[in-house]
Amino acid sequence: MSKSKFKPFTSKIPTLAEWSKNFRHRQASAPRATLASPSIAGLGTWTMTLKDNGFKRVIALEPVPAYNHWITGLSEQSKGIVEVLKKDGYDWETYIGLKEPQYLGELENKDWTHVHPGIFFTGTLPKGSRGEQLLAQFMTCITNKMALFTMGRIQMALWIPDSLFYKITAAPGTNARCKMSVIAEACADVMPICSTGPKDVYPHGEYHLVHIIPFAESQIKSQWDVFEYVLKHLFVMQKKPLSHMVRTLGPGADIILGRLSFDPQILIGTMTAMQLDEVATKFDEWPLRPRVLFEDASVFT
Amino acid sequence: MSLSLARQAVAKRSLRFHRQSKYCQVLLKHVAIPCRYQSSAATATESDVDTNRKKHIIMPNAGLSAYKLTAKVLPGSVAEQFAVLKACIISGSMVRAERIMKELYKTRPEEMKLFADVNLYNTLLNGFIEADPKPMTKECLTWLDAMKPRGVTADADTYAIVLKGFLRQSYHTARGLLVEMVLEEGIPVDSVVKSEYLTMADIESFRKMVAESTQITNNNARDILAQLEAAVDVVLGKPAEPLMKDSIAEPLIRDANFDPVPEVKPTKSIGVQFLQEQLAALGDPNATSRMDPYDLQLGLEQQGYEMALQRLLYDKEQSMERGDTLNAMNLTPLKRIMWEWHQKMLPLVKEEVERCDAATSRENERRLYGPFLKVLPPETLSIVTILELLRLHNSSGIGDGMKTARAIIDVGKSVEMEYNAVQIKNKARGFDKNSDTHALFSSGKLFNLAVRKARIDMEKDLSQHSNGMGPANDWNPVWPSTIRAKVGSVLTSLLLEAAKIPVPSKDPETGMKIIENIPAFFHTYQYVHGKRVGIIKFSEQLTHMLAREPIRDTLHPRLLPMLVHPNPWLSYNSGGYLSTKSMCMRVKDSAEQLVYLNKASENDHLAKVFSGLDVLGSTCWRVNKSVFNVVLEVWNKGEALADIPPVVQEHAPLPPKPENYDTDPKAKFNWVSEVKQIQTNERNNHSLRCDVNYKVETARAFLNLPMYFPHNMDFRGRAYPMPPTLNHLGNDLCRGLLHFEEAKPLGARGWRWLKIHLANLYGYDKHSFTEREEFTMSSMDNILDSVDNPLSGKRWWLKADSPWQCLAACYEVAAAVRSGAPEEFKSQLPIHQDGTCNGLQHYAALGGDLAGARAVNLANSGDRPADVYTGVAELVNKQIDEAAAEGNELAQLLQGNVSRKVVKQTVMTNVYGVTFVGARAQIENRLRENENIPRAKVYALSGYLAKKVFSSLGEMFTGAHQIQDWLTDSARRIARSVPLETLQESGLVPGGPPAAKGPEETTVKKRGGGKKKEFSARNPTANQMTSVIWTTPLGLPIVQPYRRSGKKQIATLLQTIFIEDPDASRPVNTSKQSSAFPPNFIHSLDATHMLMSAVACHKKGMTFASVHDSYWTHACDVDGMNEVIRDQFIELHSQPIMENLIAEFKERYKDYRVPRTEVIDKNANDEQDAAGASLFADESELDKVLELEKQQKENEKKDALNAIFGLADMPEADGDGDQDEDDNDDMVMVEKKSKKNLSKYKHTWEPLSFLPLPKKGEFDINEVKKSPYFFH
DNA sequence: GGCAAATATAAAGATATAAGTTATAGGCAAAGG
DNA sequence: GTTTTGCCTAGCGACAATATCTTTATATTTGCG
């Protein structure tokens, strides 16, 4: 049942035209710039596609000299459309640098009622922990309007590995439901565009292109640190009811159960982002809640 | 003191000997025939070879099935069932017990044949007899009859139990049994009467039976009855009360200057005084202060949780009596709340027990842990749980909490220990024998190996498996950790439910004030490196409460220093504390170590090791009151000083959030980690402060009392005191707080050594003895000032390397000086003689390394001690200068910056096998402290320097390095090796038993068929089960424990926990085995040297203590000890240690095979070599490769392009496919090319062999005798 | 009432979890095309 | 079947990942004649 909820992807590769169809509204609003973060090999290709597809300016983030060389070549033949920045999309500093006027500084647009008309972020996330971490971070940045999203409600199109795709799109009650799906659910539309076959790309594995459009307003209203604390603790056991897991938030935290608008017997994994946010809010209001919410046993010698 | 007291003790006990004729007789039998042992000693040289061979315990490889039989390793599930069985018997659930027995015989017949011994049966039978409400004699007889067919021979205890049962029912049957016993089993009647399963009343009823059996006509029966009567008379003819208080017992506290014990803020006391208070409080007012120390020690060990409970109860009742209202009760808030928890928890425990009783066969968990909840009353279970949880506060680096796994296992373990303690206490008859041993030991006789042997033999005569404690033949299976965890989790979860704290709060909606009853503890989780860790946390309110109250209420003391001599080690698990069962070796999760130790113990190989440990334990200590007072003052002031951390009142204010906290993840992250760091620091400081608090508390508790530290060993044989908090291995503070009990006049030499000692402690230890002596004399003003105004004066002592010890030395020196006649001053201060880089000393001795020997003072090297670190630094500097002259930039930067300190750590850790990386890190740290070094260059410089240090070390200690390498290599070979049988069993080598193992075969197939790789020379890891094992010159078998972890998840009530599975097959960790072998081997040698020296010192009447390679004695005995140290070192190294080692290896690993990879295609190999060479040498070739790579990448790119967008001209899959194939072709060609050039390898098994030993150098070990700074 | 098949249940094995990589890089052993 | 990837990185003393899903093994029930 869980699987049937997802749009099945054919291993057939969509053509560029097909792909473009999915971004029709974008074409209408004539994008002025894009960011590409070609994190994995072979995707200089991706940059090239963007170049050939009506973007006015493509800023390519590529820190690895070997690949950088490649993109630079691309840049040269692109007549100034493609611009190479030797920065890593993984680095936080990169996004500060991008706010410089010569890059995206001019385009900053604090109006979140509309999707940012001028900036489009795209790239490929690597398989493994790094990519996962990065995607999760993108989502928290959206909901908190941090980093890239200080510049506005920027839409993204990301190539992500299979496993990540299932996680980020997991609906309440599904097997892949996790912290990241909750945050994604709360702050953005995540829509599949197309997929690769298992061996189409290196490193091997299925990749999916997802279109991420931040909501005008995140559903997470509680204080972020509190929400994160609550989320982290509750998701230790998703198959247990909230009434059980809420106790792990603090001694006597079950007192907030009666203050909720829904049945506390609900299983964690089936809770919606809004419900979780409500828990976080009530938890925050609870006078006896633990003072310190940072509790990383960061024990290094 | 010890002598007079000991003599008294002996005299006193000898009275008991008369009563306890059996012990007396046996003891005399053995001791009175010294020639038996002398003769063997006389022929020792002659039979040396023989004994040497026997000295090695050799067991089948841990991977072989034979191992399980020989080593008698109890499988986990059986161990679990045994524990349950015992718990059932103890709690009277005999029906269940019987069912378990039947089930065991049905499902585990083989194991039962091996492990179901007469002691098990006796326990079971006794359970039937003592069954409530009436003896289950029928079942008893059934199982008695079942013994013989199952190969279990009934013994006197068996019959005692059965007879006891029938005496209450039918004299007829009893008589029949008696006759059967004597005639068929040949068990003498009197041995039955002596059985510890019989009470005096039981024996009394024997008499009654005899009296009522006058009409018996059968001759045999009459005869036997007569014997019985006689035996009964022997026992009952004596006073029935065995533990008569000796009124002549010397009062424990006999210190002339008995000081009033000052109060420690905020805590009061633990330990002895605690015990005394308790005893006094519980209506034993007179006995405490004049109690026999032996009994007091027993009391101390046995002040179980019951005591704590009763104390709580007592306090409570007292306040009630005083008419306190509930609110104004004279209990501290904490105690009151603990009482409430206890009250709340009791019904919960009781309910749980009932639920367990009612548990259906479906409720497996309850059926498993249920019986264990019945071995102790609910009151005890409750208090144990409360106190254990409170004790674990802040353990495992968790702030205000503990890891769940730790908590529940500890609770379970505590329940088990308490249960054991209660068992022992309830059977007081078992103790006399023990105190006899103790008396014997106190007299010093047990250091005579012959007497020791006699004593051990005697114990063996009396009981096969005596542990010196409790009923000799008790069958007491240990609770496997799974059981402990489950039992602990039940109790813990009940406590979590019960323990609440009322806290004022308010409703956030209405703003109404309310009281919330929040849990004192709660179960939660934390993530560490993405892994969940279960935590039990204290609520903040509880933490605050704890902080305000003395630790004595929450810290249930355990393993305190002893008041009397520790019991001598008679077997691997008998010795040390009087009634707390302890192991002579600290073994963690390595069954193999235990097996070898046990075997060695059984075969009497450990006598010398044990007497060494006994000597260490016999050293009597006192708290140094002068130092203690200063410590106390500092502590109460809350000042940070020396090792004492400051009091931190409130949390430090958090740093302000940065401007861009809400927008920049980096900024946020930095701030969060800063906060976390602050929190960790606060936590660390707090636990440091707690640690010091425990130490000070312990010191205070023993302020006027003698202290003994029972010792045991780590797996290499290094000795450690068992009391964990305050001991002489602790930090400077601990050491400063302790000195010898005995005071000995300094004499001229001692006075000199005292002065030298002070200089050493100050840090002035690289100079000649005379210079050091002068240093002390010239510092006299400072010393006196330190003594007179330790805190208000110049605080000179604080500048010392070891301030507290230095202060102690100052007191001693000052007192000596002021006595007017220093040489007559009686000193208690231990004087240290430290090996100079002891590891290297042993290496140098083994390698016969001349230069090395000089560098570490094995040979005299001048009028000052040679200092390896300086030596290495000099050598390095020389090389650097040369390199700098040649223009090496790095060397130039380093010139003049390489001090002794920079290289010290690396040189020191070199013997531990530090790697280049580690060494570089160390040096890096040192270089960073130096401002002359440009930051950016530090890394490169440290790498460069590390290399130089390594090469210099190699130069200075050639022999040592060769040996180190040889050891590493040999260990690697061993750890990779596999016994021939394993190969034969798996059919890799012909010649094995032709598939005799039916079931074995199938299981192997099952496993192999699944997913696991097949066992072969190429893939041997899963079957590499061979640990490196060797025997020290003293006979201690050493087993390196490094294996792959075999942890499994275990379900408990709170969560699953992850613990080592005792049944898991755990292949060795080859690299750890080999890299750790050299240090372990050397440590086993230095441990040997230390134990030898300990015994030798003791023989000469010197007090001895040690911290591994630092040997301590009274000042006046330093010269004597120095001689001993050297003699023992020479004796140790005069043996062909390395030759013995290799011989042992060859014997132990006879017929072992090592996987070997060899090149079979010579040509291919050559080709590859050529190709490899060209790859780097030939420019054009290199270009070609690069070109190829480039092209490959291009193809990849194209490929990806096609894949993603279908941009290729040809539509869809076809084009892609072609493209793919083309690409692949290219790539394959490249690969093929390289593949063609690759050599073929063959994997084979070859016999385990060793490299020849490195050649020994010229150094003559006897030089040590003449080296003044060997230890200094 | 006996035995085999089918089903239920338990044990064992796998996998995901969090989230900046923590400053370093070489040697050796596990794993996999 | 041998290159690539990955791990750890000075020893001992002080211990310890866990929830949940998947697969496999074992126990129990059912079904049948």
Side-chain angles (χ1 to χ4, degrees), chain B residues 691-985:
Chain B
D691 187 48
V692 174
N693 194 5
Y694 291 159
K695 284 173 175 155
V696 176
E697 279 296 336
T698 314
R700 204 190 78 87
F702 284 82
L703 199 55
N704 293 304
L705 294 167
M707 274 181 287
Y708 294 86
F709 300 127
H711 277 63
N712 60 10
M713 306 170 280
D714 67 17
F715 75 89
R716 290 110 22 111
R718 277 191 154 192
Y720 300 81
M722 290 159 66
T725 46
L726 182 69
N727 61 56
H728 63 287
L729 257 76
N731 58 11
D732 176 50
L733 177 70
C734 292
R735 298 184 191 190
L737 278 171
L738 293 168
H739 59 193
F740 292 138
E741 205 267 351
E742 195 180 358
K744 287 191 181 179
L746 287 172
R749 294 290 296 169
W751 173 225
R752 179 169 190 260
W753 278 116
L754 176 59
K755 288 181 280 188
I756 293 169
H757 181 60
L758 193 148
N760 286 344
L761 292 171
Y762 195 82
Y764 193 82
D765 56 354
K766 281 130 219 128
H767 299 71
S768 75
F769 288 136
T770 311
E771 286 165 323
R772 293 183 224 177
E773 200 180 352
E774 282 159 5
F775 170 85
T776 295
M777 288 317 283
S778 61
S779 307
M780 196 54 75
D781 285 348
N782 287 324
I783 293 170
L784 295 178
D785 176 72
S786 296
V787 167
D788 295 333
N789 311 296
L791 296 173
S792 54
K794 287 187 276 180
R795 295 187 166 201
W796 177 80
W797 59 277
L798 273 176
K799 288 186 276 239
D801 279 0
S802 309
W804 292 111
Q805 292 176 87
C806 180
L807 181 63
C810 287
Y811 276 111
E812 205 79 352
V813 168
V817 168
R818 284 171 174 166
S819 75
E823 302 185 2
E824 281 153 41
F825 178 76
K826 287 183 151 192
S827 169
Q828 292 173 275
L829 198 72
I831 305 297
H832 308 178
Q833 295 289 289
D834 300 357
T836 52
C837 227
N838 193 237
L840 279 176
Q841 290 183 323
H842 284 281
Y843 268 127
L846 288 176
D849 218 332
L850 217 75
R854 268 198 207 106
V856 292
N857 298 304
L858 286 198
N860 194 353
S861 63
D863 49 356
R864 285 189 182 180
D867 179 61
V868 212
Y869 313 122
T870 310
V872 172
E874 278 167 5
L875 203 55
V876 170
N877 275 320
K878 211 176 84 194
Q879 293 180 24
I880 286 175
D881 288 343
E882 283 165 14
E886 285 166 18
N888 184 318
E889 215 177 294
L890 295 176
Q892 284 166 353
L893 276 167
L894 282 171
Q895 272 188 301
N897 288 317
V898 182
S899 60
R900 171 183 187 275
K901 195 178 161 195
V902 174
V903 301
K904 178 172 176 178
Q905 195 185 11
T906 305
V907 175
M908 203 155 54
T909 54
N910 179 62
V911 285
Y912 304 142
V914 73
T915 60
F916 175 73
V917 181
R920 188 185 50 203
Q922 298 165 354
I923 290 175
E924 196 180 334
N925 289 334
R926 295 292 86 74
L927 289 184
R928 275 192 201 286
E929 294 164 1
N930 187 340
E931 298 106 30
N932 299 337
I933 308 280
R935 290 255 141 181
K937 295 271 186 184
V938 166
Y939 185 72
L941 288 173
S942 30
Y944 176 78
L945 195 48
K947 259 181 227 153
K948 290 284 175 236
V949 173
F950 271 22
S951 66
S952 303
L953 271 171
E955 215 173 289
M956 279 175 77
F957 297 91
T958 344
H961 263 268
Q962 283 169 352
I963 287 181
Q964 206 171 352
D965 291 344
W966 186 89
L967 291 171
T968 310
D969 175 76
S970 303
R972 209 176 89 91
R973 290 162 186 252
I974 292 168
R976 288 163 53 84
S977 75
V978 159
L980 185 58
E981 293 95 311
T982 303
L983 297 179
Q984 289 169 339
E985 272 175 22

Side-chain angles (χ1 to χ4, degrees), chain B residues 567-605:
Chain B
N567 264 346
W569 290 102
L570 293 177
S571 71
Y572 77 100
N573 63 357
S574 156
Y577 287 100
L578 305 185
S579 69
T580 314
K581 190 165 187 168
S582 15
M583 291 277 181
C584 74
M585 187 183 274
R586 302 170 183 213
V587 173
K588 72 172 192 191
D589 287 332
S590 173
E592 207 182 4
Q593 287 181 344
L594 217 53
V595 165
Y596 277 80
L597 186 69
N598 187 7
K599 202 80 179 174
S601 175
E602 268 178 21
N603 294 2
D604 280 335
H605 290 183

Side-chain angles (χ1 to χ4, degrees), chain B residues 299-463:
Chain B
L300 194 58
E301 286 178 26
Q302 293 178 351
Q303 60 155 325
Y305 294 91
E306 263 175 280
M307 276 288 204
L309 176 65
Q310 298 211 12
R311 184 178 162 80
L312 209 55
L313 227 172
Y314 170 78
D315 280 357
K316 164 128 179 150
E317 277 170 358
Q318 278 224 316
S319 28
M320 300 285 263
E321 270 169 30
R322 281 195 296 269
D324 292 335
T325 66
L326 211 64
N327 274 340
M329 262 198 319
N330 192 26
L331 288 173
T332 64
L334 180 64
K335 276 193 189 170
R336 192 165 64 227
I337 209 130
M338 280 167 68
W339 179 255
E340 275 165 28
W341 297 345
H342 183 62
Q343 293 303 100
K344 285 244 185 63
M345 188 160 168
L346 277 181
L348 295 182
V349 177
K350 285 175 187 158
E351 278 166 34
E352 181 60 34
V353 170
E354 279 163 24
R355 273 196 295 271
C356 289
D357 281 342
T360 61
S361 58
R362 248 179 229 288
E363 291 173 276
N364 265 328
E365 290 293 298
R366 281 225 167 84
R367 306 263 310 155
L368 189 57
Y369 66 70
F372 298 95
L373 297 179
K374 297 171 80 179
V375 299
L376 288 173
E379 288 78 11
T380 314
L381 294 178
S382 160
I383 202 74
V384 166
T385 314
I386 293 172
L387 289 175
E388 277 310 302
L389 245 55
L390 289 178
R391 178 217 295 283
L392 287 172
H393 186 40
N394 276 345
S395 68
S396 338
I398 309 295
D400 294 330
M402 66 205 90
K403 294 196 175 170
T404 312
R406 172 88 199 273
I408 62 180
I409 291 173
D410 267 19
V411 169
K413 205 189 286 176
S414 302
V415 171
E416 183 189 6
M417 284 176 67
E418 178 64 13
Y419 147 79
N420 280 330
V422 169
Q423 292 287 106
I424 290 171
K425 225 191 301 189
N426 290 346
K427 300 191 180 172
R429 283 183 75 187
F431 266 103
D432 275 355
K433 175 185 56 156
N434 210 24
S435 60
D436 293 344
T437 303
H438 190 261
L440 196 61
F441 174 72
S442 301
S443 71
K445 284 203 191 92
L446 235 85
F447 292 113
N448 178 333
L449 287 186
V451 177
R452 175 187 293 274
K453 177 94 168 65
R455 180 73 206 178
I456 292 169
D457 286 350
M458 182 189 100
E459 300 250 344
K460 272 188 192 156
D461 277 5
L462 290 172
S463 59

Side-chain angles (χ1 to χ4, degrees), chain A residues 167-187:
Chain A
K167 273 187 209 165
I168 196 167
T169 57
T174 58
N175 253 353
R177 185 72 168 176
C178 61
K179 296 199 313 172
M180 185 167 66
S181 8
V182 173
I183 299 168
E185 177 200 330
C187 71

Side-chain angles (χ1 to χ4, degrees), chain B residues 1231-1247:
Chain B
E1231 277 180 40
K1232 267 181 194 159
K1233 229 187 214 166
S1234 58
K1235 258 180 196 160
K1236 244 185 222 163
N1237 283 350
L1238 288 170
S1239 50
K1240 303 276 185 223
Y1241 290 88
K1242 193 173 106 185
H1243 299 279
T1244 53
W1245 295 97
E1246 67 170 17

Side-chain angles (χ1 to χ4, degrees), chain A residues 6 125-129 131-132 135 160-170 176-178 180-181 205-208:
Chain A
F6 294 103
L125 302 190
K127 224 168 23 178
S129 59
E132 184 159 348
L135 184 59
I160 53 175
D162 199 44
S163 56
L164 264 188
F165 174 77
Y166 280 99
K167 273 187 209 165
I168 196 167
T169 57
R177 185 72 168 176
C178 61
M180 185 167 66
S181 8
E206 260 178 279
Y207 276 76
H208 307 277

Side-chain angles (χ1 to χ4, degrees), chain B residues 2 6 297 438 441-443 562-568 576 578 614 617-619 708:
Chain B
S2 43
Q297 174 66 32
H438 190 261
F441 174 72
S442 301
S443 71
M562 294 177 70
L563 300 170
V564 296
H565 287 280
N567 264 346
L578 305 185
D614 293 344
S618 72
T619 299
Y708 294 86

Side-chain angles (χ1 to χ4, degrees), chain A residues 226 229-230 246 249-250 253 256 278-287 289-290 293:
Chain A
V226 178
Y229 174 88
V230 168
V246 78
L249 296 178
I256 69 169
E278 190 183 333
V279 174
T281 306
K282 297 298 177 194
F283 175 70
D284 200 12
E285 289 167 359
W286 176 43
R289 82 165 171 83
L293 299 184

